[in-house]
Amino acid sequence: MQRKTDQTGPNSETAMGEAVRPAACEQACRFFLEEACVKKADMEKAGVTVKFTRNETVYSKGDEARYSYKVIEGAVRLSRIFADGRRQIVNFLLPDETFGIELSETYSSTAEAVGDVLALRCPRICISHMTVGDPDISQKRLSMFSKSLAAAEQHVAMLGHQSAKERVASFFLALEMQRPGDVEHTLDLPLSRQDIADYLGLTIETTCRALSELKRQHIIDAPSRRRIVIKDLRGLKAIAEGDA
Amino acid sequence: MQRKTDQTGPNSETAMGEAVRPAACEQACRFFLEEACVKKADMEKAGVTVKFTRNETVYSKGDEARYSYKVIEGAVRLSRIFADGRRQIVNFLLPDETFGIELSETYSSTAEAVGDVLALRCPRICISHMTVGDPDISQKRLSMFSKSLAAAEQHVAMLGHQSAKERVASFFLALEMQRPGDVEHTLDLPLSRQDIADYLGLTIETTCRALSELKRQHIIDAPSRRRIVIKDLRGLKAIAEGDA
DNA sequence: CGGCATGTTGAAACGTTTCAACGAGAGTGG
DNA sequence: CCACTCTCGTTGAAACGTTTCAACATGCCG
């Protein structure tokens, strides 16, 4: 099956038996909970980062949830596979976003690198320890959950009542909104059409047709496989909101 | 418009200007964060409960988020209305479940009483204060978010790839799983067909047809408007998982 | 017992999926 | 550098499921 990509790379948690060293652990936590984006080099020097290559599995649904992560570079997808072989992508994580923060003993979704990814990895147990007695950290942790929850509810709203074209428009709009200051309105993501379709709850063909339709309307352009240029942000908004 | 039910009752937050009394506040918090179900009478005596009648608005999306709530009796729906007038129900809250726990300054969804509702109301600011320096409470608060997030992701998974019949089956299955011990497998909820449809992202007619189909298969029975009897739990599971 | 909201069913319209074929682009080796 | 190959993306036509519009049934409340 083409869509299966459950290769387990050198970062696989099951392959790592090393004990959690308290010092490195605490350092990782601090980076993890830091509000602003910490310099990449600092984190790499501290040895708290991990690399993943395209389509590599960070962790699988059901694995023991030992670590929480923060994306430094690249993008990660959280997904679930169903009995019928279809995949639902629950969320995409971009730089500075966290994942694997669940409280349950096991991960609730599978996490995979969309393209090449650099991530900060932090032992969950350590985060728990740091949280005790530190209100700021508690607050930060809560806000991570809160953010994830807001994203999920937004996703529910989209899947519940939008047409294919509206979903595609909403999707690009949301990505654009997450990248402020980008004057050129160019989205340069490693997502495949299949990734987008699985996030939107559509087939790849329908997604493609909606995209073509938007191109025909000069709302967006797709100069290359993984690049989307928003040519008419106002028009995109209108379509996303149903004023087609 | 029939579906509009934005009456604002006597509990409306905007109508209440009373200051938050520290003692009652702390008491409300304790009840709110308590793991097990506290006795209803105790809460009522403490004056920390509020009643809502059928279809009454607890709060509206965008209102200043002053309180968090916990359902004591009845059911609450969280929803969002779109420009086209359609409504997406994001979640149903049953007894012992919490809502309005967002961190943002305003509520992200509208909360309404499905039938008559008794709820515990707790000032959000008070919860924040109580959280500081108390790891147990912090943990409890986190776990509320975690639960909401898990529900939302489950919802996304359902909306993303299930057919009408599968959605209806999943819905009743989920409700049944939340009510353990019920030997008779009878769900007695005040939800209208419209409520169910808006949760499942379907029209009322499609929901109805799926229900009828399940009745025809002797999987469920609907002896009265608001009552569902699960006659074949195994069969229901099979359908919910796509082995139709 | 009306009267009205809510629920149910049918038939046509609509949008999405499925199946199938084709095109475009990236990487490889000649 | 080109041709080959393989994956990924795009388009078309028919099948399918959901929605829409309409009519009718049921149940609840005054």
Side-chain angles (χ1 to χ4, degrees):
Chain A
M1 188 205 247
Q2 298 171 305
R3 294 176 48 188
K4 199 157 186 194
T5 52
D6 57 358
Q7 46 187 273
T8 296
N11 294 306
S12 165
E13 296 185 2
T14 51
M16 313 199 56
E18 107 270 46
V20 172
R21 285 166 303 122
C25 176
E26 204 178 305
Q27 185 61 287
C29 277
R30 248 190 282 281
F31 287 141
F32 186 78
L33 298 158
E34 201 76 44
E35 191 65 55
C37 190
V38 183
K39 266 186 67 184
K40 173 186 163 189
D42 290 343
M43 288 187 275
E44 287 185 316
K45 213 187 310 176
V48 292
T49 61
V50 237
K51 279 184 183 178
F52 299 94
T53 58
R54 185 167 155 61
N55 288 330
E56 193 179 338
T57 299
V58 178
Y59 56 73
S60 297
K61 176 166 151 69
D63 285 357
E64 191 193 335
R66 267 194 283 222
Y67 299 99
S68 291
Y69 298 83
K70 183 190 244 178
V71 178
I72 300 170
E73 276 178 4
V76 168
R77 60 173 175 254
L78 298 185
S79 64
R80 298 183 187 194
I81 307 280
F82 300 101
D84 63 359
R86 288 185 66 168
R87 177 180 72 166
Q88 177 66 46
I89 292 182
V90 170
N91 206 0
F92 290 113
L93 290 314
L94 300 180
D96 258 347
E97 295 189 297
T98 57
F99 61 102
I101 57 174
E102 35 260 281
L103 293 183
S104 57
E105 286 307 305
T106 59
Y107 293 117
S108 62
S109 300
T110 293
E112 296 158 319
V114 175
D116 289 351
V117 164
L118 181 66
L120 167 63
R121 184 174 67 182
C122 187
R124 223 173 45 124
I125 203 172
C126 176
I127 298 173
S128 295
H129 285 158
M130 294 272 294
T131 305
V132 174
D134 189 330
D136 284 352
I137 290 182
S138 295
Q139 186 63 23
K140 187 67 181 47
R141 210 174 161 204
L142 269 179
S143 88
M144 284 175 182
F145 270 100
S146 181
K147 228 181 131 188
S148 295
L149 183 58
E153 293 194 343
Q154 195 58 41
H155 200 174
V156 163
M158 183 192 78
L159 295 177
H161 88 293
Q162 295 202 123
S163 71
K165 202 169 144 193
E166 288 167 357
R167 292 185 200 191
V168 172
S170 296
F171 181 63
F172 291 135
L173 194 61
L175 288 176
E176 171 65 22
M177 296 295 102
Q178 269 195 295
R179 300 216 153 279
D182 237 14
V183 217
E184 273 305 313
H185 301 307
T186 297
L187 301 170
D188 215 339
L189 292 167
L191 308 177
S192 70
R193 296 286 185 263
Q194 186 69 63
D195 286 329
I196 299 174
D198 287 349
Y199 179 80
L200 300 179
L202 299 170
T203 59
I204 189 172
E205 294 96 331
T206 303
T207 305
C208 210
R209 273 186 260 267
L211 252 161
S212 299
E213 179 69 22
L214 290 174
K215 276 193 270 182
R216 226 168 289 132
Q217 291 182 256
H218 305 290
I219 302 285
I220 63 169
D221 197 14
S224 88
R225 249 171 209 225
R226 307 273 150 116
R227 175 166 301 179
I228 296 289
V229 179
I230 298 174
K231 296 169 72 180
D232 180 0
L233 188 60
R234 185 178 293 273
L236 193 69
K237 268 182 188 150
I239 289 171
E241 283 157 21
D243 313 344
Chain B
M1 188 205 239
Q2 296 173 307
R3 294 175 51 188
K4 200 155 184 196
T5 52
D6 56 357
Q7 45 188 270
T8 295
N11 293 305
S12 166
E13 296 185 2
T14 50
M16 314 198 54
E18 108 269 46
V20 171
R21 282 167 303 120
C25 177
E26 203 178 306
Q27 185 62 286
C29 276
R30 246 191 281 283
F31 288 140
F32 186 78
L33 297 157
E34 202 76 44
E35 191 65 55
C37 190
V38 182
K39 265 187 67 185
K40 173 186 161 189
D42 291 344
M43 288 188 276
E44 287 186 315
K45 212 187 312 178
V48 293
T49 61
V50 238
K51 280 185 181 178
F52 300 95
T53 58
R54 184 166 157 62
N55 289 330
E56 194 180 337
T57 300
V58 178
Y59 56 72
S60 297
K61 176 165 151 69
D63 285 356
E64 190 194 337
R66 268 193 283 220
Y67 299 98
S68 292
Y69 298 83
K70 183 190 244 177
V71 178
I72 300 169
E73 275 177 4
V76 168
R77 61 175 174 252
L78 298 185
S79 64
R80 299 183 187 193
I81 307 280
F82 299 101
D84 62 0
R86 288 185 66 169
R87 176 180 73 164
Q88 177 66 47
I89 292 181
V90 171
N91 206 359
F92 290 112
L93 290 315
L94 300 180
D96 258 349
E97 296 189 296
T98 57
F99 63 102
I101 57 174
E102 35 260 280
L103 293 184
S104 55
E105 286 308 304
T106 59
Y107 292 116
S108 62
S109 300
T110 293
E112 295 157 320
V114 175
D116 288 350
V117 164
L118 181 66
L120 167 63
R121 185 174 67 183
C122 188
R124 223 173 43 125
I125 204 171
C126 176
I127 299 173
S128 295
H129 285 158
M130 294 271 295
T131 304
V132 174
D134 190 328
D136 285 351
I137 290 181
S138 294
Q139 186 63 23
K140 186 66 183 40
R141 209 172 162 206
L142 269 179
S143 88
M144 285 175 183
F145 271 99
S146 182
K147 227 181 133 188
S148 296
L149 182 59
E153 292 193 345
Q154 195 58 39
H155 201 175
V156 164
M158 182 193 78
L159 295 178
H161 89 294
Q162 294 202 122
S163 70
K165 202 168 141 193
E166 288 167 357
R167 291 185 202 191
V168 172
S170 297
F171 180 63
F172 290 136
L173 194 61
L175 288 176
E176 171 65 22
M177 296 293 103
Q178 269 194 295
R179 298 217 153 280
D182 237 11
V183 217
E184 273 305 311
H185 300 307
T186 298
L187 301 171
D188 215 339
L189 292 168
L191 307 178
S192 70
R193 296 286 185 265
Q194 187 68 64
D195 286 329
I196 300 173
D198 286 349
Y199 179 79
L200 300 179
L202 299 170
T203 59
I204 189 172
E205 294 96 331
T206 304
T207 305
C208 209
R209 273 185 261 267
L211 252 160
S212 300
E213 179 69 22
L214 290 174
K215 275 194 270 183
R216 226 168 289 133
Q217 291 181 259
H218 304 291
I219 303 285
I220 63 169
D221 196 15
S224 89
R225 248 169 210 227
R226 308 272 149 114
R227 175 166 301 178
I228 296 289
V229 179
I230 297 174
K231 297 169 72 180
D232 179 1
L233 189 59
R234 186 178 292 272
L236 193 69
K237 268 183 189 147
I239 289 171
E241 283 156 20
D243 314 345

